[in-house]
Amino acid sequence: MTPDAPPQTMVAPVLTSADARDTATYARPEVARVTHVDLDLALDFAAKRVGGTATLDLLTAPGATEVVLDDRGLQISRVTDAGGAELPFTVGQSVEGRGAPLTIAIGTGAERRRIAIQYTAAPGAEALQWLAPEQTAGKAQPFLFSQGQAILNRTWIPTQDSPGIRQTWRARITAPKPLTVVMSGLKQGETEDLGDRRAFTYAMDKPVAPYLIAIAAGDIAFREIGPRTGVWAEPATLAAAHHETADTEKMVVAAEKLYGPYRWGRYDMIVLPPSFPYGGMENPTLTFLTPTFIAGDRSLNGLIAHELAHSWSGNLVTNANWSDSWLNEGVTSYFENRIIEALYGPRRASQEAALSFAEMEGELAKAGPDNPETALHLPDSVAGPDAGLGGVIYDKGAVFMRTVETIVGRPRFDAWLRQWFDNHAFQPATSAMILADMKANLVGNDPALAHRLMLDEWIYQPGLPANAVRPNPAAFAEVDAAAAAYGTGGGVPQAAWAKWTTAERLRFMAKLPRERTAAQLGALDQALGLSNEGNDEVLFAWLQLALANRYEPAVPLAEQFLARVGRRKFVAPLFETLMGEGEWGQPLARRIYATTRPGYHAVTTGTVDKLVLKKD
Ligand code: BES
Ligand code: ZN
């Protein structure tokens, strides 16, 4: 180790069992693994490129002579050892979506060593979206953000891009004035003034999965919420962002009460421009959020509860590979609902759980019985970094946790889940591990209980086990009755709608008959004001219904929505609906996509290209 090595931070174990193997990485961590990443990078907004030096700390096995990293499109100019001597490297055959192995000859030497890679990310690096000023709320400055999960960080960081290979990191990033840089770690020292640029340093001293290294830069400002919580946004969005996130400190308190201490120091958020391709991303210390959750009434802040919950399920205990995404997303969706219950009471929680359950049922029905993609643990035949159905990984995963909770009782379940987080903190995990843990610490020597829980079936079998706890039918009794009455020819429940919560409105939209005439859609819009809807979830539900019925008057609104919003969950289904509407919808989809596509992140275009640009 060189004298200037940082104090060695925590080194997390890498699992070696067969079920923990990650087929999406080229890394061979048992030979040589990255334990720490030190980035010194410059953001070039004119060229839309990031480049500089990545210095990696390696832990090597005896006899190791090379280290293999993941590389997707990086332009590497030079690799050196700790003494500055040049190291030979080769970039292997590239595979679509996965990139190529970057193999660096490190010779023989000490168990711990350090290498430095000088590189530039490709202009089209898929993790990054470089926004022109017009794509921001302020319209004056450019903006940059990254999205690492699942395997996109290899497009801008040369490291071992696998969730089972945890790394600490530090980064010094320079950006042109007046932009501010934020990252998914804690700020170090003062911002450096370099004349027309500034340098910002961030660090994460806990080993994290490398998909959690994230950056954003733009004309952004910060407002405090609580002692360890706050929100970043563009100045034009900050007041609305602050109002919508105001309950966050209370959520952290509730989450800690449920499952133990929040271990990351700060919990801040950034509300990004609307092209952010996800609802949220749980980047440690700095959750990334879509502005489309800003409804004005905090009714969509389950998103914050979700990303916060990942501070335990996902960031603390992490799926070792992408076959076990449910360990991140399913456990988190359950935890999210518990936070909502703690803050807003059982009624809202049971309504949101019922919406999620219906989502799951729809997806299971669509997938069909025995579909391997409906198992929580994805078998090799269907595994991949982007595999899995949301209705399974998120919603079936949450129902699994709720079912176990109901059978063993809440106190016992909560104690079990808390020890799971405590005992696997900062470590990767697999389905087999959580199953063994449940058997040891929850079931014990109780064959009758084991029989009632059906744990193996939940994790490894497709479909929904017979013991699944179903949502409380009382949650939506009134709305379901109103939807049924409307569906059999009754009037639009205008007065009731006015009093309904967002969850109730979404339920009503989901329960409407799918086939509607233009006259019926016009009446619905008229009565409920759907065309002027300010809640993007409700607006999306309306546009889906309208386009599926070839309702011409909704086309301009759909076009505006698709031009404003890049969130894949909204954009992809709308284009899919249009493409399903033959000679009416397909030309529309192609025309709209031609103008909106340049505004989308690669995550969204990656999905929509397959829907709209497909040749058949
Ligand atoms: N970690 C996910 C986003 C993600 C998953 C990115 C897989 C890439 C690959 C995040 O926590 C998430 O689940 N977001 C949801 C929010 C929701 C369920 C409340 C989203 O974006 O819609
Ligand atoms: Zn999630």
Side-chain angles (χ1 to χ4, degrees):
M1 200 156 68
T2 52
D4 64 336
Q8 195 59 50
T9 45
M10 249 199 274
V11 174
V14 172
L15 299 172
T16 52
S17 58
D19 65 314
R21 213 171 77 84
D22 178 8
T23 53
T25 184
Y26 292 101
R28 284 184 282 118
E30 67 287 358
V31 177
R33 61 170 288 212
V34 176
T35 58
H36 180 82
V37 177
D38 192 321
L39 301 172
D40 190 356
L41 304 176
L43 306 181
D44 182 344
F45 282 84
K48 300 189 171 180
R49 299 188 74 165
V50 49
T53 305
T55 306
L56 308 181
D57 286 0
L58 306 180
L59 191 57
T60 62
T65 56
E66 55 184 42
V67 60
V68 185
L69 310 178
D70 294 299
D71 166 4
R72 196 165 154 198
L74 303 175
Q75 293 170 8
I76 294 153
S77 49
R78 211 167 115 85
V79 183
T80 52
D81 69 11
E86 197 123 1
L87 297 174
F89 65 90
T90 56
V91 178
Q93 184 74 39
S94 178
V95 172
E96 177 70 29
R98 246 178 90 176
L102 165 59
T103 304
I104 299 166
I106 53 175
T108 51
E111 185 187 17
R112 290 178 191 278
R113 31 210 148 135
R114 174 171 290 182
I115 59 173
I117 302 165
Q118 278 172 40
Y119 75 102
T120 308
E126 279 88 345
L128 306 176
Q129 193 179 9
W130 302 85
L131 300 177
E134 313 81 68
Q135 290 174 275
T136 67
K139 315 277 178 219
Q141 297 294 336
F143 203 103
L144 165 71
F145 66 81
S146 70
Q147 167 59 40
Q149 200 181 9
I151 60 166
L152 296 179
N153 268 349
R154 61 188 66 179
T155 65
W156 73 287
I157 304 172
T159 189
Q160 294 177 323
D161 189 13
S162 171
I165 310 176
R166 305 178 78 94
Q167 297 148 41
T168 55
W169 61 266
R170 183 179 181 90
R172 178 179 176 273
I173 311 282
T174 75
K177 286 180 181 173
L179 305 185
T180 296
V181 177
V182 288
M183 290 188 78
S184 53
L186 298 177
K187 182 126 196 301
Q188 308 291 302
E190 294 298 312
T191 303
E192 299 166 61
D193 191 326
L194 309 171
D196 58 351
R197 297 178 70 84
R198 293 190 295 175
F200 301 79
T201 300
Y202 289 89
M204 171 52 67
D205 66 359
K206 316 276 193 303
V208 293
Y211 70 81
L212 293 171
I213 306 176
I215 187 168
D219 174 16
I220 51 172
F222 179 76
R223 234 180 113 178
E224 189 179 289
I225 297 167
R228 58 186 155 172
T229 45
V231 62
W232 291 92
E234 286 189 69
T237 316
L238 190 57
H242 186 264
H243 180 265
E244 212 71 11
T245 55
D247 290 344
T248 305
E249 183 70 33
K250 285 185 214 143
M251 288 188 181
V252 182
V253 171
E256 288 190 302
K257 207 170 148 209
L258 282 166
Y259 300 122
Y262 179 76
R263 293 165 152 99
W264 305 90
R266 293 201 58 86
Y267 184 79
D268 293 326
M269 296 155 283
I270 179 167
V271 175
L272 293 161
S275 68
F276 185 58
Y278 290 105
M281 180 63 214
E282 64 270 27
N283 300 129
T285 74
L286 185 67
T287 280
F288 282 24
L289 297 171
T290 173
T292 64
F293 92 104
I294 298 180
D297 58 4
R298 298 178 197 156
S299 62
L300 299 178
N301 68 356
L303 175 67
I304 300 171
H306 180 97
E307 306 312 335
L308 169 64
H310 273 307
S311 305
W312 288 259
S313 38
N315 297 357
L316 202 55
V317 186
T318 310
N319 49 226
N321 62 49
W322 305 111
S323 298
D324 284 333
S325 291
W326 79 272
L327 282 178
N328 282 18
E329 300 300 345
V331 178
T332 290
S333 298
Y334 169 81
F335 191 165
E336 165 196 340
N337 199 250
R338 293 292 303 276
I339 296 171
I340 292 300
E341 183 186 320
L343 262 80
Y344 307 112
R347 185 161 175 81
R348 176 171 161 184
S350 65
Q351 287 186 339
E352 292 183 4
L355 284 178
S356 151
F357 193 94
E359 196 85 14
M360 173 195 70
E361 283 184 310
E363 203 130 88
L364 291 179
K366 206 170 121 197
D370 304 326
N371 186 325
E373 273 194 285
T374 64
L376 290 178
H377 169 78
L378 295 174
D380 289 346
S381 59
V382 296
D386 304 314
L389 308 169
V392 174
I393 291 170
Y394 289 75
D395 304 311
K396 182 183 170 183
V399 175
F400 175 35
M401 292 293 108
R402 196 165 299 116
T403 299
V404 176
E405 180 215 314
T406 306
I407 292 174
V408 305
R410 185 170 271 192
R412 209 164 140 194
F413 177 83
D414 284 353
W416 166 76
L417 188 52
R418 182 177 171 157
Q419 69 77 36
W420 166 255
F421 293 140
D422 285 343
N423 292 328
H424 299 83
F426 304 109
Q427 291 176 32
T430 64
S431 281
M433 285 166 65
I434 201 170
L435 177 61
D437 195 89
M438 290 173 116
K439 286 179 177 171
N441 296 315
L442 207 47
V443 182
N445 224 339
D446 187 344
L449 178 58
H451 186 74
R452 284 170 66 209
L453 287 170
M454 308 169 76
L455 299 174
D456 291 79
E457 181 174 339
W458 270 101
I459 293 174
Y460 295 112
Q461 298 303 314
L464 191 66
N467 67 353
V469 168
R470 311 192 69 83
N472 180 355
F476 283 130
E478 186 205 330
V479 183
D480 288 353
Y486 169 78
T488 52
V492 180
Q494 189 175 12
W497 173 275
K499 290 189 233 120
W500 283 342
T501 63
T502 293
E504 289 168 330
R505 290 176 179 189
L506 290 172
R507 174 69 164 207
F508 181 74
M509 296 302 290
K511 287 278 172 170
L512 289 179
R514 294 293 93 191
E515 274 178 38
R516 299 275 84 185
T517 65
Q520 288 168 326
L521 290 169
L524 198 66
D525 185 15
Q526 181 76 32
L528 306 183
L530 294 169
S531 293
N532 298 313
E533 180 57 57
N535 183 308
D536 280 334
E537 292 278 357
V538 179
L539 181 59
F540 165 71
W542 160 240
L543 292 173
Q544 276 286 71
L545 180 71
L547 296 180
N549 287 283
R550 306 192 178 189
Y551 183 60
E552 206 64 49
V555 171
L557 186 61
E559 221 169 320
Q560 280 170 38
F561 184 78
L562 289 166
R564 169 170 66 88
V565 172
R567 184 176 177 183
R568 183 173 68 174
K569 175 183 135 175
F570 294 150
V571 171
L574 288 172
F575 278 113
E576 193 174 17
T577 297
L578 284 173
M579 290 303 287
E581 294 304 320
E583 74 290 353
W584 182 81
Q586 293 184 3
L588 270 176
R590 292 195 192 97
R591 177 174 64 74
I592 297 171
Y593 194 46
T595 67
T596 61
R597 188 182 185 281
Y600 298 149
H601 184 277
V603 162
T604 298
T605 59
T607 300
V608 181
D609 282 357
K610 287 188 221 130
L611 296 168
V612 179
L613 307 181
K614 67 171 179 222
K615 312 258 178 286
D616 51 9

